């Protein structure tokens, strides 16, 4: 089964990204034929500076590789190394009804958040369809916010197949059952846009400082505390063993525990959790050319598949000889 997903290069990845998406990507690569890429063309829709886009692309690549992406088995590349995808996106655009895109909520959401309403942002789901269909993907692991884009992909694939013959595999979405939403240090959803993240690879000192600043309620030390609605406990669930979690649950219920205690333990556990990968991350930073080479090798493997599909598509629609 071929699994494919794209990751937007929008900065260093945070623990919300890890527990909400990456962790599942890494697990799926062991069971399936996995294809993962860094979606720079999609990131361009929000007009990052050229410097930022380049830096973020390498940061995402290093984060994934450091955390265990198996670059020998899994195909991992930069979207922009395969312009075939943009050609297919154009061909698909020509059979995509305007109404299908007008119904997409992500365009409206992004414009409401203040992004410039450019054409790329509107056509974004067609490019995503091209990404998915050019590799004959069976399964697309994504967060719930991307569900509509996979439905659009399916509609486009079915329409194309009905018009020009059975060329595309109609993919299934695999909604990542995320460990609920990971809260940020201010209690809202952890997100780069809220500036409330804990990055996976920031310094241990900063991780600790951020964890110590997590917003909690003002229940006095001696009183019982509501673990179910506590931001610290929500993060503890991600990294503590079931036994230890039970012990903290009892301490919350009993009272006599200050939030400082549980925060200190959370910082220790969080730092330990990612410790084995830190060294690898530093090693990659010191060997950027190897990282670029890894991406280039991935692009070469991906290209073989993409060119085959594109050739069939060009023939089917009447382009070329
Ligand atoms: P951000 O909100 O920081 O910009 P993205 O939208 O780029 O993050 O998210 C990339 C992936 O990480 C998505 O699949 C998304 O579902 C997941 N993700 C991001 N933030 C969280 C979070 N706080 N909790 C769970 N999953 C998250
Ligand atoms: N739109 C996805 C996101 O923001 C990223 C993406 C681009 C993607 N192309 C894809 C995801 C193809 C899955 C399949 O998270």
């Amino acid at each position: 089964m071929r699994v494919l997903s794209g990751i937007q290069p929008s900065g260093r990845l945070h623990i919300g990204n890890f527990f909400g998406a990456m962790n599942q990507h890494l697990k799926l690569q062991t069971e399936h034929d996995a294809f993962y890429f860094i979606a720079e063309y999609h990131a361009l829709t929000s007009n990052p500076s050229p410097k930022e886009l380049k830096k973020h692309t390498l940061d995402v690549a290093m984060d994934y590789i450091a955390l265990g992406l198996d670059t020998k088995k899994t195909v991992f590349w930069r979207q922009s190394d395969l312009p075939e995808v943009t050609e297919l996106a154009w061909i698909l655009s020509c059979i995509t009804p305007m109404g299908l895109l007008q119904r997409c909520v992500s365009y409206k959401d992004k414009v409401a958040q203040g992004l410039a309403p450019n054409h790329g942002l509107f056509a974004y789901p067609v490019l995503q369809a091209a990404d998915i269909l050019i590799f004959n993907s069976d399964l697309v692991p994504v967060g719930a916010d991307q569900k509509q884009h996979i439905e659009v992909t399916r509609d486009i694939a079915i329409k194309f197949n009905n018009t020009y013959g059975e060329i595309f595999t109609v993919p299934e979405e695999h909604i990542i059952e995320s460990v609920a939403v990971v809260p940020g240090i201010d209690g809202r959803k952890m997100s780069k846009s809220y500036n409330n993240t804990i990055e996976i690879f920031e310094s241990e000192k900063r991780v600790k400082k951020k964890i110590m600043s997590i917003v909690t309620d003002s229940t006095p030390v001696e009183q019982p505390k509501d673990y179910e609605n506590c931001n610290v406990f929500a993060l503890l669930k991600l990294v503590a063993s079931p036994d230890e979690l039970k012990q903290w649950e009892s301490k919350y219920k009993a009272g006599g525990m200050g939030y400082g205690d549980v925060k200190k333990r959370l910082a220790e556990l969080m730092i330990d959790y990612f410790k084995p990968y830190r060294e690898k991350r530093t090693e990659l930073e010191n060997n950027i050319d190897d990282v670029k080479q890894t991406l280039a090798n991935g692009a070469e493997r991906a290209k073989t598949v993409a060119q085959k599909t594109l050739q069939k598509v060009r023939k089917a629609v009447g382009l070329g000889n």
Side-chain angles (χ1 to χ4, degrees):
M1 184 113 78
R2 175 153 305 156
V3 173
L4 172 135
S5 200
I7 308 111
Q8 282 212 48
S10 42
R12 284 177 153 237
L13 296 166
H14 55 73
I15 61 170
N17 297 139
F18 181 80
F19 290 103
M22 283 175 102
N23 208 8
Q24 281 81 348
H25 290 162
L26 295 170
K27 272 189 200 137
L28 285 166
Q29 72 173 347
T30 59
E31 299 151 22
H32 300 289
D33 175 25
F35 274 53
Y36 298 139
F37 65 95
I38 308 176
E40 307 144 284
Y41 288 144
H42 283 95
L44 265 185
T45 61
S46 53
N47 308 128
S49 77
K51 228 172 135 182
E52 242 175 14
L53 182 57
K54 259 206 162 66
K55 180 175 185 314
H56 290 171
T57 300
L58 283 175
D59 272 335
V60 168
M62 288 189 282
D63 284 354
Y64 261 81
I65 299 171
L67 286 159
L69 187 107
D70 179 354
T71 53
K72 289 220 164 61
K73 180 172 186 288
T74 296
V75 186
F76 186 50
W77 73 99
R78 275 186 305 225
Q79 191 184 30
S80 66
D81 284 336
L82 269 77
E84 287 83 355
V85 162
T86 53
E87 180 176 346
L88 179 61
W90 179 259
I91 297 172
L92 298 180
S93 277
C94 298
I95 57 141
T96 303
M98 281 297 281
L100 191 62
L101 299 182
Q102 276 158 345
R103 284 196 291 278
C104 287
V105 295
S106 90
Y107 173 76
K108 292 174 214 163
D109 283 354
K110 286 178 182 167
V111 172
Q113 281 166 23
L115 281 187
N118 61 51
H119 173 253
L121 205 56
F122 184 74
Y124 184 113
V126 183
L127 179 59
Q128 188 159 346
D131 287 328
I132 297 169
L133 299 177
I134 207 164
F135 297 108
N136 315 310
S137 317
D138 300 296
L139 214 60
V140 187
V142 284
D145 60 324
Q146 295 293 314
K147 190 175 158 63
Q148 194 178 30
H149 292 161
I150 315 303
E151 282 159 8
V152 168
T153 301
R154 289 171 54 87
D155 286 352
I156 293 176
I158 292 167
K159 176 136 189 229
F160 187 97
N161 286 350
N162 286 340
T163 313
Y164 294 111
E166 292 291 317
I167 304 250
F168 293 130
T169 304
V170 180
E172 298 288 331
E173 82 230 359
H174 171 96
I175 296 296
I176 292 177
E177 292 303 339
S178 137
V179 269
V181 169
V182 177
I185 56 176
D186 61 357
R188 291 185 292 173
K189 175 194 172 217
M190 186 176 289
S191 168
K192 272 162 304 231
S193 28
Y194 295 146
N195 212 0
N196 64 356
T197 64
I198 301 169
E199 287 168 13
I200 302 170
F201 291 117
E202 59 192 327
S203 74
E204 295 185 358
K205 203 169 144 202
R206 275 179 64 85
V207 169
K208 190 156 184 211
K209 198 165 161 214
K210 284 189 175 175
I211 289 181
M212 295 313 288
S213 74
I214 293 173
V215 171
T216 50
D217 63 22
S218 51
T219 316
V221 173
E222 60 285 358
Q223 277 181 29
K225 297 182 176 55
D226 178 7
Y227 68 92
E228 279 169 326
N229 291 307
C230 175
N231 299 321
V232 184
F233 195 85
L235 294 174
L236 197 65
K237 271 198 222 162
L238 304 170
V239 286
S241 68
D243 280 351
E244 178 163 357
L245 204 62
K246 274 224 163 65
Q247 287 168 22
W248 282 108
E249 197 179 307
S250 309
K251 288 187 197 169
Y252 269 76
K253 285 189 197 151
M257 174 208 83
Y259 285 120
D261 298 341
V262 62
K263 283 178 177 177
K264 262 191 214 137
R265 181 62 184 144
L266 172 63
E268 271 172 21
L269 287 169
M270 196 60 85
I271 288 166
D272 280 355
Y273 191 95
F274 292 109
K275 211 178 206 101
Y277 312 108
R278 262 178 199 281
E279 214 171 289
K280 176 80 185 167
R281 182 66 166 78
T282 311
E283 188 190 311
L284 293 167
E285 272 164 40
N286 294 330
N287 292 285
I288 290 281
D289 284 344
D290 291 354
V291 176
K292 290 182 182 164
Q293 189 55 48
T294 301
L295 291 169
N297 295 346
E300 211 173 296
R301 288 164 75 194
K303 220 176 200 27
T304 317
V305 182
Q307 282 181 340
K308 245 189 220 151
T309 313
L310 190 59
Q311 228 165 22
K312 279 195 219 162
V313 171
R314 287 177 131 257
K315 191 163 170 223
V317 302
L319 295 170
N321 296 319

